[in-house]
Amino acid sequence: MKSTKSDVRENNNKKQENLALHTEDSTGQPMTTNTGLLVNNDTSSLKAGERGPSLLEDFYLREKITHFDHERIPERVVHARGVAAHGYFQAYDSSFSKYTQAKFLTDPSRQTPVFLRFSTVAGSRGSSDLARDVRGFSIKFYTEEGIFDMVGNNMPVFFIQDAIKFPDLIHAVKPEPLNEIPQAASAHDTFWDFISLTPEAMHMIMWVMSDRALPRSLRMMDGFGVHTYRFVNEEGKATFVKFHFKPTLGVHSVAWDEAQKISGKDPDFHRRDLHEAIEAGAYPEWEFGVQLVAQEDEHKFDFDLLDPTKLIPEELVPVQPIGKLVLNRNPDNYFAETEQVAFHPGHVVPGIDFTNDPLLQGRLFSYTDTQLTRLGGPNFQEIPINRPLNTVHNNQRDGHMRQQINQGKTSYHPNTVGGGCPFQAMMKDGGFKHFEERVEGSKIRARSKSFMDFFSQATMFFNSMSEPEQSHLVDALRFELGKVDIQDIRNRMVGLLTFVDKTLARRVAEGLGMDVPEPQQPVNHQLGADANPKDYEPVFKKPAVEKSAALSMANTAKDSIKTRQVAFLAAGCVDADSLASVKKALEAEGAVVRVVAPHNGFIKDSAGKQIKVDQSFLTAASVLVDAVYVPAGQKSVTALLNEPDAIHFINEAYRHCKAIAADGEGADLIKATYVGAKLNNKAGNDAVAGIVIGNGGNDLSAAFIDAIKQHRFWQREKKDKIPA
Ligand code: HDD
């Protein structure tokens, strides 16, 4: 459904009305030029004779080709590949008004429109969704008091402590300049060269090498503000705050082998998933929560709150829920909205303020600066998706692509000619009052010595993970460093890992076929040439919290199969009841069933009913679904037994630890796969975890639903690998 000026839809809010003013629907409309002239022939250019040369006079051809020639704008220098959706945020109650005067966070009667853009960091606009990478999580809150942008990631810490190193970090991770290889991958020399010389990155490296970098869905990942910000209340009292967004569907990932295969089968896997879920009315939701630290407790932690490579363990400061964020509408136009949206951590509203985190401070410059090139000039805030809800009045004028038509004679303040307008608002009527922080210090180009603990939280993160998560992290490091050609870089990296966890270093070294280097004091290369390294030696200490439950995805919510994709493998004469009853049960729980058959079109079930085939084995793949079911029916199963792709489907789903179910004769298909041999083992062991076999009579739906809720049975990985 398209929005038009007169048709403001479902999520009826001010931002939508505002966007509708700029939305066009060509339904029932004749074609025109950009000057409004009706077009009668859009298929042939103007020529001197039917077979003659084209004429320069052809203004329509010239206009059309010129516009086309300029359709692309520079992609974002980072976070180029993204996808976004509209929605709203609503506070639960007014209890946080003790801490912040931000009305959208404290007035439960308001629904604040939001636009959330997800992204990968390193890849180009056309790269795959499933790169092993950080995911951007940027929310534009269109509040009544102005725009607040929360420009965060799906990981709560960052690689570097000072914005001045950002260009180096990005140059290192982006494709190498001589050949533009590799695309959207950190597995290459320059990235690991930089990291091996940047010990402050070790905590973030643990996150990026963890399963968090391979989300199952953008709807199933956390969002974090990363920096410590400030809440400021009506009395001007400040409280430190960290922002958290927790998805109600839980945080889930795919396996690395699966991610690589998805990149080929469906590089748009995440954006498709988001689009389809919203179109189906399964609106993604996050709970917005905050960790609050009183101003006087600033120095009570064993790390510096201003250091963006540190998180506050939830055991020390719990996350308090503040409200709900819901995405309920897909954009009408990718370019106009998702591509042109411009975020900026410096877009704040009264009640939210910055801290002196040196990474945040540098970001405050970068984001406006980048839009000047990317969106073509200083008027990018006038692009519909970027406009605030309220009308803008100031004395800024002109520039490329100015949209606003300012009336009157004056464009300066103070003035009398324009009646003094636009006038400065009184503080009581709103406006931003900067938190009055007392700042004192000599001008100095240096890093705070309180930032020198690079390892303790990396250790905490590793300790907090379940055994399968730790194994995945080891495999990730083996993969990434295995793609590094220069042995010195591997040595330095494994050396750094010894300071995180000796077993981790040993396991990675084993995979790389090398010895663990003698632990050496890591050199802190992030200092100026004249700095005395003795003054900036890394600090080694035990983490204050040894394990933090919130850091392990094993502890996430596993109580729903909503939007989970389940493939039903079937052929002609599939047992009618065996298919229909399980389909009905899964759909009742919100899952999406896809019938996969040897051919497209329709198959007949045992009752003679036509069943629509959603995909043939040619276009379907087990990596694109969460679970597989083989219904009963002798003929159907015999046909599947002759279909190598069906065998492969099951083996691969097993390898990726997914729930698998079969009913009646369907079990014969399972037996014909590698999984069959495992079934002969005693039930209840790890090898058959998540496999549900029905006897054709009983209803296996409940057991299958429980298995899908678990997301994955990683314990299967401890056993032998399946060659799929
Ligand atoms: Fe950044 C984009 C997140 C540090 C400079 N950043 C960008 C986006 C996200 C982040 C999610 C995509 C926004 C969108 O969807 O349009 N960036 C972060 C986080 C950081 C961070 C969580 C650390 C905590 N960024 C960072 C630094 C700098 C930048 C230190 C520069 C000094 N980031 C940019 C940028 C981008 C950007 C070049 C590219 C496109 C854009 O801003 O609009 O200005």
Side-chain angles (χ1 to χ4, degrees):
M1 213 196 340
K2 288 224 179 322
S3 60
T4 62
K5 286 177 186 146
S6 58
D7 161 38
V8 177
R9 301 164 307 167
E10 200 184 315
N11 171 20
N12 190 356
N13 62 39
K14 276 200 176 171
K15 185 61 198 169
Q16 219 168 295
E17 287 170 27
N18 178 312
L19 286 174
L21 295 174
H22 303 273
T23 310
E24 278 310 331
D25 180 359
S26 293
T27 314
Q29 301 299 321
M31 193 180 282
T32 69
T33 63
N34 285 336
T35 50
L37 188 68
L38 287 177
V39 173
N40 316 105
N41 183 341
D42 183 48
T43 55
S44 298
S45 50
L46 189 69
K47 302 181 195 78
E50 279 170 9
R51 299 183 63 251
S54 297
L55 299 179
L56 192 58
E57 184 192 328
D58 188 351
F59 57 83
Y60 181 55
L61 170 86
R62 287 196 331 262
E63 177 193 281
K64 187 174 173 183
I65 301 290
T66 303
H67 197 279
F68 170 76
D69 288 344
H70 298 269
E71 272 176 9
R72 294 281 78 82
I73 60 171
E75 65 174 33
R76 287 168 175 82
V77 55
V78 281
H79 295 267
R81 182 164 180 85
V83 59
H86 292 275
Y88 67 87
F89 169 77
Q90 193 158 19
Y92 291 139
D93 54 40
S94 59
S95 56
F96 286 84
S97 51
K98 289 200 281 287
Y99 304 106
T100 176
Q101 53 174 314
K103 299 223 172 44
F104 78 104
L105 296 176
T106 55
D107 178 355
S109 67
R110 287 191 187 191
Q111 274 200 352
T112 300
V114 301
F115 190 63
L116 198 169
R117 182 174 180 271
F118 305 95
S119 46
T120 51
V121 180
S124 290
R125 231 188 99 178
S127 56
S128 162
D129 282 347
L130 265 287
R132 188 198 299 286
D133 200 353
V134 186
R135 298 300 186 286
F137 194 95
S138 306
I139 313 168
K140 200 171 270 298
F141 291 87
Y142 302 91
T143 88
E144 305 276 339
E145 287 76 37
I147 286 179
F148 169 58
D149 284 344
M150 207 294 309
V151 196
N153 281 339
N154 74 330
M155 297 176 192
V157 290
F158 202 64
F159 296 94
I160 47 169
Q161 296 170 325
D162 191 312
I164 200 165
K165 295 311 295 172
F166 192 69
D168 300 282
L169 167 73
I170 300 307
H171 288 171
V173 72
K174 283 268 182 179
E176 297 187 6
L178 67 172
N179 53 14
E180 185 86 354
I181 296 175
Q183 176 59 241
S186 53
H188 58 116
D189 282 357
T190 56
F191 178 67
W192 290 102
D193 185 30
F194 177 80
I195 295 297
S196 68
L197 301 171
T198 311
E200 72 202 51
M202 286 314 285
H203 186 198
M204 181 63 166
I205 285 298
M206 292 294 112
W207 283 84
V208 183
M209 292 298 110
S210 80
D211 291 343
R212 302 261 179 170
L214 310 170
R216 156 64 184 84
S217 159
L218 301 169
R219 305 173 290 117
M220 298 173 196
M221 59 181 211
D222 285 321
F224 298 97
V226 182
H227 310 283
T228 303
Y229 287 85
R230 275 194 173 95
F231 269 169
V232 184
N233 70 10
E234 293 285 354
E235 288 80 50
K237 187 172 180 310
T239 308
F240 291 111
V241 61
K242 291 258 191 200
F243 300 132
H244 294 249
F245 292 83
K246 295 186 188 257
T248 45
L249 291 178
V251 183
H252 303 285
S253 70
V254 299
W256 176 229
D257 178 67
E258 197 182 353
Q260 293 173 89
K261 289 170 175 165
I262 294 173
S263 291
K265 299 266 182 195
D266 186 5
D268 304 309
F269 185 70
H270 280 155
R271 57 171 64 179
R272 188 186 310 283
D273 166 270
L274 180 71
H275 185 93
E276 285 180 355
I278 293 175
E279 288 302 301
Y283 298 143
E285 284 182 6
W286 284 261
E287 183 159 77
F288 182 10
V290 288
Q291 284 178 299
L292 297 173
V293 176
Q295 194 74 9
E296 48 278 19
D297 290 339
E298 178 172 3
H299 301 292
K300 109 173 180 192
F301 301 96
D302 74 331
F303 56 88
D304 196 326
L305 282 180
L306 302 187
D307 174 356
T309 66
K310 304 294 183 298
L311 53 83
I312 310 179
E314 291 187 25
E315 284 73 11
L316 301 184
V317 181
V319 176
Q320 303 182 47
I322 192 163
K324 188 164 271 189
L325 184 119
V326 179
L327 298 182
N328 59 5
R329 186 167 76 84
N330 283 311
D332 283 319
N333 185 282
Y334 184 90
F335 182 85
E337 301 177 76
T338 310
E339 192 60 11
Q340 294 201 114
V341 65
F343 292 95
H344 186 358
H347 292 160
V348 285
V349 292
I352 300 175
D353 208 336
F354 317 116
T355 59
N356 297 329
D357 171 343
L359 190 71
L360 173 59
Q361 295 280 319
R363 292 179 76 193
L364 297 180
F365 165 72
S366 187
Y367 287 70
T368 300
D369 186 44
T370 203
Q371 315 305 348
L372 298 179
T373 314
R374 193 173 76 82
L375 298 172
N379 289 317
F380 64 87
Q381 308 275 27
E382 292 192 324
I383 295 172
I385 192 69
N386 294 327
R387 286 169 184 258
L389 295 185
N390 32 356
T391 319
V392 172
H393 298 282
N394 58 39
N395 293 310
Q396 296 168 29
R397 289 291 183 277
D398 311 344
H400 279 294
M401 299 299 158
R402 182 68 171 179
Q403 310 289 304
Q404 200 171 52
I405 303 170
N406 299 99
Q407 293 180 320
K409 211 168 167 166
T410 60
S411 51
Y412 55 88
H413 174 269
N415 70 61
T416 55
V417 176
C421 296
F423 56 86
Q424 301 177 124
M426 300 295 285
M427 215 58 202
K428 70 173 172 44
D429 296 322
F432 193 87
K433 185 165 183 296
H434 293 266
F435 172 62
E436 288 183 20
E437 184 186 15
R438 195 174 156 66
V439 184
E440 215 172 55
S442 316
K443 230 187 266 173
I444 178 168
R445 203 179 270 285
R447 195 79 58 93
S448 169
K449 297 191 179 64
S450 57
F451 281 27
M452 294 299 134
D453 161 23
F454 305 137
F455 302 104
S456 74
Q457 290 210 347
T459 307
M460 170 181 71
F461 181 77
F462 188 67
N463 286 345
S464 305
M465 281 191 289
S466 62
E467 200 272 316
E469 286 172 299
Q470 288 188 340
S471 297
H472 294 169
L473 194 147
V474 168
D475 285 347
L477 282 163
R478 286 176 173 179
F479 177 93
E480 296 268 317
L481 296 174
K483 292 247 185 176
V484 163
D485 287 332
I486 300 171
Q487 185 60 35
D488 271 355
I489 299 177
R490 289 184 183 168
N491 292 348
R492 283 200 301 271
M493 269 322 298
V494 177
L496 280 180
L497 293 175
T498 58
F499 297 106
V500 178
D501 184 277
K502 292 211 163 42
T503 330
L504 166 67
R506 183 184 47 73
R507 290 172 69 184
V508 173
E510 262 170 30
L512 296 172
M514 59 181 271
D515 293 330
V516 178
E518 278 300 308
Q520 284 176 359
Q521 183 82 341
V523 180
N524 187 359
H525 288 262
Q526 300 300 342
L527 305 173
D530 297 324
N532 180 357
K534 287 266 173 262
D535 290 343
Y536 294 97
E537 272 179 6
V539 172
F540 298 96
K541 54 184 174 193
K542 279 198 158 213
V545 171
E546 204 184 321
K547 282 181 177 199
S548 176
L551 305 186
S552 169
M553 292 166 61
N555 302 323
T556 194
K558 291 177 181 166
D559 53 3
S560 163
I561 65 163
K562 261 192 210 143
T563 69
R564 293 305 187 136
Q565 310 276 323
V566 186
F568 278 33
L569 308 192
C573 288
V574 59
D575 186 279
D577 190 44
S578 179
L579 186 145
S581 62
V582 179
K583 183 169 190 281
K584 191 168 160 213
L586 295 188
E587 286 177 346
E589 296 278 324
V592 179
V593 168
R594 299 197 189 282
V595 174
V596 178
H599 57 78
N600 287 118
F602 289 85
I603 52 175
K604 269 193 183 161
D605 68 14
S606 55
K609 192 175 139 205
Q610 296 271 30
I611 307 281
K612 186 176 172 301
V613 174
D614 296 300
Q615 282 177 308
S616 77
F617 283 106
L618 213 55
T619 53
S622 85
V623 292
L624 304 178
V625 300
D626 295 287
V628 191
Y629 172 55
V630 190
Q634 190 59 63
K635 273 199 174 162
S636 164
V637 172
T638 306
L640 293 175
L641 281 165
N642 287 322
E643 182 65 65
D645 285 343
I647 307 279
H648 180 72
F649 210 100
I650 304 285
N651 281 331
E652 206 176 40
Y654 182 84
R655 176 180 175 153
H656 298 142
C657 305
K658 295 174 181 176
I660 298 173
D663 189 27
E665 295 85 4
D668 293 343
L669 184 68
I670 309 290
K671 284 183 196 141
T673 68
Y674 276 96
V675 189
K678 321 261 169 219
L679 286 179
N680 299 331
N681 296 334
K682 278 195 292 299
N685 71 15
D686 285 347
V688 293
I691 300 186
V692 179
I693 305 288
N695 63 10
N698 63 351
D699 187 1
L700 53 72
S701 306
F704 190 32
I705 288 168
D706 278 347
I708 303 170
K709 280 183 188 167
Q710 296 310 305
H711 178 62
R712 293 302 164 85
F713 296 85
W714 299 121
Q715 61 267 43
R716 281 188 210 151
E717 286 178 333
K718 277 194 293 194
K719 310 288 166 199
D720 43 353
K721 276 209 173 129
I722 295 284

